[in-house]
């Protein structure tokens, strides 16, 4: 992990800062993954609904324009 290179060597309680940094970055990565999956599922659901509606409108229009 890069946090041990970013935290100054002479800082008091350095190991505590390294552990805190590690778990903070880990938690942020977990939250990012969970939120991106939620957004992906929600947006794909919207796209699926829109595609069904678009198809239904086109079929309805095509059936009424048959001569």
């Amino acid at each position: 992990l890069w946090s041990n290179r970013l935290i100054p060597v002479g800082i008091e309680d350095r190991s505590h800062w390294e552990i805190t940094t590690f778990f903070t970055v880990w938690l942020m990565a977990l939250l990012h993954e969970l939120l991106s999956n939620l957004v992906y599922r929600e947006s794909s659901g919207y796209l699926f609904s829109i595609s069904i509606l678009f198809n239904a409108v086109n079929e309805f229009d095509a059936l009424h324009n048959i001569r």
Side-chain angles (χ1 to χ4, degrees):
L1 196 66
W2 285 73
S3 65
N4 65 347
R5 297 170 197 257
L6 298 174
I7 298 172
V9 175
I11 196 167
E12 199 173 305
D13 209 14
R14 188 169 192 262
S15 62
H16 169 73
W17 281 104
E18 287 181 8
I19 293 169
T20 302
T21 306
F22 173 78
F23 283 111
T24 302
V25 170
W26 183 81
L27 181 63
M28 288 176 12
L30 177 67
L31 287 174
H32 177 267
E33 180 65 25
L34 292 174
L35 291 175
S36 64
N37 281 341
L38 179 67
V39 169
Y40 174 73
R41 277 189 233 129
E42 189 173 317
S43 63
S44 62
Y46 289 142
L47 289 174
F48 181 70
S49 300
I50 289 171
S51 65
I52 289 176
L53 288 173
F54 185 71
N55 188 25
V57 167
N58 283 337
E59 289 296 322
F60 182 77
D61 187 45
L63 289 175
H64 285 307
N65 286 334
I66 294 176
R67 294 175 196 242

